[in-house]
Amino acid sequence: MARPAYEKPTLVRNTIGLMNKAGRRADLDEESSLDGIPVTKLCAEFGSPLFVFSERRLRAKIQEAKDALARRHPKATLCWSYKTNYLDAICAVHHQEGSLAEVVSGMEYEKARRLGVPGDRIVFNGPAKTRTELERAVQERAIVHADHMEEICLLERIAAERGERPTVGLRVSLDAGVHPRWDRFGFNLESGQALQAARRIARGGRLNLGGLHTHIGTFITEPAAYGRSAATLAAFAGAVEKDTGARPTHLDLGGGYASTNTLGSQYHSGALAPTFAEYAEAIGSALVDAGDGTTPLLPLLVEAGRTLVDDCGTLLATVLSVKRLGDGRRAIVIDAGVNLLFTAWWYRLNVVPARNTGGFIEETVVYGPLCMNIDCIRESVALPDLKPGDRLSISPVGAYCVTQSMQFIHLRPACVMIDPRGRAHVIRRAEVLEDLTGPERLPEYLRLEGMREPGAVRRPAETGPARRD
Amino acid sequence: MSRTDFDPSALRALAISETGFVFDPRTGHSYSVNGTGLAVLSGLREGLDLPGIARRLYEQFEVEDATVEEDVALFAQRMRDFGLGVRPGTAG
Ligand SMILES: Cc1ncc(COP(=O)(O)O)c(C=O)c1O
């Protein structure tokens, strides 16, 4: 008879509430393949760690959001928030599905243009637009939302120089009952600054009034908050029209819709997050209620980011070592750290073994490879006994992880996308050392000629007289 | 005579199920152990020393890497930390 496989002997003290977390659990989720491709095959072919995106899931998410909006608003358009994930392939999928680009910097603007997005399909937000960037945006008829009064003045000067009358919208901060309240971006509504700015644009004689934009915060799990912001923004649009005679061209309700990730502070699993339909319902009914029943609703833009892409991304990683900490807890070190998983600092990411080891499940600390104390992916997650070389899948990591990843100590890994037919495509190759050293310049006098041959390090005596001090 | 620093009567007092549930009636604490952990506990109860227990694990299980001695020592240390199987009053 075959002997059972050896596992390190494990002893866990049961505590109330954790009873079911130690021992053998039959209900452990496994994710041994992604869109039909075994995790082991993906890692063998493309390396580890590895970001894997599901095109099928991404298209389904976008379609679901579009349908949800279309059922509740006659003229709603999704805008892809580039900062969430601006890999070309991800952006291209969004644009193929009809989304505009929403950018917050000149670099993102350029990236969208380079991909083939026309200027008039780019929403240009952000608190730090330069003169050159604004000149280009005006020339290419981008949808600009001004962040502060100096920007409006700058746009007036650009308009005068060009002899044009560009359309300029406003970013508005408002009280939607969300904490913390985001009021550092745009013009505040309650204090009257937003109305002042709208008057300046509408009556200044150089610009046309564009749309009104607001972004109330991030990872907001309460759809009603969007109902309140939609109602407030719509009422403000009415007030602006009454005051200035100019009707805003659109309302833009920004992003911040929750993904199925779980915040560190959340008690319930993020899988219970509202669906996009619930957000769309709150927005749609608030806008209908705010209308007079006869005037057509203003076109609506929505800048959903994480809710669309987070669940479409998984990071595959490999166990490097297994150890016991001084206090007896089990810990594993894996080849992916907070350099790739920035969001691990505020989410409890799912960490799941790629194969069912059948081993003894125990609360385990998951560390990255960075040689820094802050490099912890999970303080505690129920994992079976693992061995070096075992693969793990970490999810959801589709939002912000790639764009905020750092080249720190380790080169960044490849990203692949699995198409709806189950074929994997490299959408960003793994970095090589030249990607890091390419932009560097070593001043001539710092060249280490003497270190070329082993043992040829020059001693101070050979380089000059010894200092006496 | 025990050939380890564990206390035979404390070890005998433990209620150990085949599924790896361990109850210590002296403290009221319960523990979960895996298959190899069970083997270590029964080895201790039989009075084996730690190297003897490691040898038994090599025989009973399909071992790929050779860290069994260290693993057994760590397990024993965890028992001491929890005050499991040690003389009353010496519980950690
Ligand atoms: C202006 C704007 N729109 C949209 C987004 C996307 O946010 P999220 O990914 O939370 O939906 C952000 C993110 O901060 C933003 O600043």
Side-chain angles (χ1 to χ4, degrees):
Chain A
M1 207 182 76
R3 293 179 299 176
Y6 176 77
E7 255 176 42
K8 289 177 190 300
T10 302
L11 171 69
V12 180
R13 182 187 275 176
N14 297 331
T15 34
I16 291 166
L18 280 176
M19 279 284 214
N20 54 347
K21 291 201 180 170
R24 270 166 225 284
R25 232 178 59 184
D27 62 336
L28 180 78
D29 295 332
E30 281 172 73
E31 202 166 298
S32 48
S33 69
L34 294 174
D35 281 8
I37 309 184
V39 163
T40 40
K41 184 161 182 269
L42 285 165
C43 290
E45 192 168 349
F46 304 105
S48 169
L50 180 71
F51 278 106
V52 182
F53 292 94
S54 164
E55 181 183 339
R56 189 180 47 74
R57 222 183 284 188
L58 180 58
R59 288 194 191 271
K61 280 270 179 192
I62 301 170
Q63 206 56 56
E64 184 192 322
K66 267 170 56 171
D67 291 350
L69 286 169
R71 275 198 296 278
R72 289 156 184 95
H73 196 283
K75 219 169 178 311
T77 310
L78 279 178
C79 309
W80 175 234
S81 165
Y82 262 45
K83 70 153 89 68
T84 313
N85 186 327
Y86 45 59
L87 286 169
D88 281 348
I90 298 286
C91 295
V93 169
H94 282 275
H95 298 314
Q96 280 186 350
E97 295 291 336
S99 298
L100 307 185
E102 187 267 338
V103 305
V104 291
S105 74
M107 183 200 81
E108 287 189 341
Y109 188 101
E110 177 63 31
K111 210 161 183 298
R113 292 289 292 116
R114 186 185 131 277
L115 199 59
V117 181
D120 63 1
R121 293 189 62 79
I122 299 178
V123 176
F124 193 9
N125 290 327
K129 312 178 190 80
T130 66
R131 176 183 245 274
T132 321
E133 289 160 7
L134 284 171
E135 281 170 353
R136 180 174 187 191
V138 165
Q139 186 189 341
E140 297 180 347
R141 305 257 184 280
I143 302 159
V144 177
H145 294 136
D147 179 81
H148 47 268
M149 198 52 94
E150 287 73 20
E151 200 173 296
I152 293 178
C153 297
L154 185 53
L155 283 158
E156 288 176 344
R157 284 200 294 279
I158 293 169
E161 285 163 19
R162 297 179 59 86
E164 284 182 47
R165 203 180 159 103
T167 298
V168 173
L170 292 179
R171 174 155 181 174
V172 174
S173 74
L174 52 81
D175 184 4
V178 170
H179 298 280
R181 203 163 128 193
W182 282 33
D183 55 9
R184 57 175 280 193
F185 302 111
F187 301 88
N188 183 249
L189 190 151
E190 288 81 17
S191 66
Q193 294 172 35
L195 183 59
Q196 240 179 7
R199 282 184 185 142
R200 169 83 184 218
I201 293 177
R203 299 193 192 140
R206 297 216 184 277
L207 308 172
N208 292 324
L209 183 64
L212 300 177
H213 168 269
T214 194
H215 173 79
I216 54 175
T218 197
F219 209 88
I220 292 164
T221 51
E222 188 199 358
Y226 287 92
R228 293 193 290 272
S229 83
T232 308
L233 201 63
F236 179 60
V240 167
E241 186 174 1
K242 208 163 168 192
D243 186 279
T244 66
R247 182 167 161 80
T249 56
H250 60 264
L251 301 181
D252 181 339
L253 287 176
Y257 315 92
S259 70
T260 62
N261 242 313
T262 306
L263 289 174
S265 57
Q266 247 173 320
Y267 183 71
H268 293 296
S269 155
L272 302 173
T275 61
F276 195 80
E278 292 172 70
Y279 293 111
E281 170 61 30
I283 292 169
S285 41
L287 292 178
V288 169
D289 288 350
D292 58 12
T294 50
T295 320
L297 294 182
L298 287 172
L300 173 68
L301 302 184
V302 168
E303 301 166 352
R306 71 190 74 218
T307 186
L308 299 181
V309 79
D310 216 6
D311 299 343
C312 307
T314 303
L315 182 70
L316 303 182
T318 303
V319 177
L320 301 176
S321 64
V322 183
K323 50 172 80 171
R324 284 276 161 205
L325 302 179
D327 62 7
R329 282 180 301 159
R330 179 160 76 188
I332 57 173
V333 180
I334 64 174
D335 60 358
V338 293
N339 52 329
L340 304 178
L341 297 168
F342 201 78
T343 59
W345 277 324
W346 57 85
Y347 292 142
R348 288 202 298 272
L349 299 170
N350 300 313
V351 180
V352 177
R355 68 182 173 90
N356 189 357
T357 59
F360 189 78
I361 308 250
E362 193 181 341
E363 291 296 319
T364 305
V365 195
V366 181
Y367 293 119
L370 293 187
C371 204
M372 305 234 333
N373 208 30
I374 54 164
D375 191 22
C376 180
I377 304 303
R378 284 292 303 268
E379 283 291 346
S380 179
V381 59
L383 284 173
D385 193 32
L386 293 164
K387 292 189 177 55
D390 280 342
R391 311 289 193 190
L392 298 172
S393 74
I394 303 171
S395 64
V397 300
Y400 298 101
C401 288
V402 171
T403 40
Q404 293 189 303
S405 65
M406 291 175 270
Q407 172 282 306
F408 176 65
I409 307 183
H410 297 275
L411 295 167
R412 277 173 289 202
C415 304
V416 301
M417 185 151 85
I418 303 179
D419 73 20
R421 291 168 58 188
R423 295 170 306 192
H425 305 264
V426 174
I427 58 172
R428 189 174 197 273
R429 65 157 169 78
E431 287 179 344
V432 293
L433 191 62
E434 285 67 40
D435 294 324
L436 171 63
T437 56
E440 292 194 37
R441 300 289 177 267
L442 185 68
E444 197 56 38
Y445 73 96
L446 292 178
R447 283 190 186 282
L448 301 180
E449 301 299 348
M451 290 186 75
R452 287 252 168 86
E453 299 154 39
V457 181
R458 282 185 283 178
R459 287 188 212 102
E462 295 166 7
T463 58
R467 272 173 52 196
R468 253 171 266 214
D469 46 18
Chain B
M1 244 303 282
S2 168
R3 277 184 277 168
T4 62
D5 54 348
F6 289 97
D7 177 38
S9 66
L11 287 168
R12 256 197 320 277
L14 298 176
I16 302 177
S17 83
E18 272 172 35
T19 56
F21 183 79
V22 179
F23 179 69
D24 185 347
R26 298 176 314 155
T27 61
H29 285 303
S30 71
Y31 303 84
S32 298
V33 293
N34 59 356
T36 47
L38 267 182
V40 177
L41 280 177
S42 53
L44 286 173
R45 291 227 268 200
E46 290 166 34
L48 294 182
D49 61 4
L50 298 186
I53 290 173
R55 273 196 300 280
R56 181 184 277 185
L57 289 178
Y58 277 113
E59 287 161 18
Q60 290 183 346
F61 294 87
E62 199 63 57
V63 182
E64 272 178 31
D65 44 14
T67 61
V68 178
E69 287 80 1
E70 291 86 345
D71 296 345
V72 170
L74 256 174
F75 185 92
Q77 188 51 46
R78 281 211 102 189
M79 287 180 63
R80 289 183 204 105
D81 291 344
F82 285 142
L84 188 64
V86 296
R87 237 184 314 281
T90 57

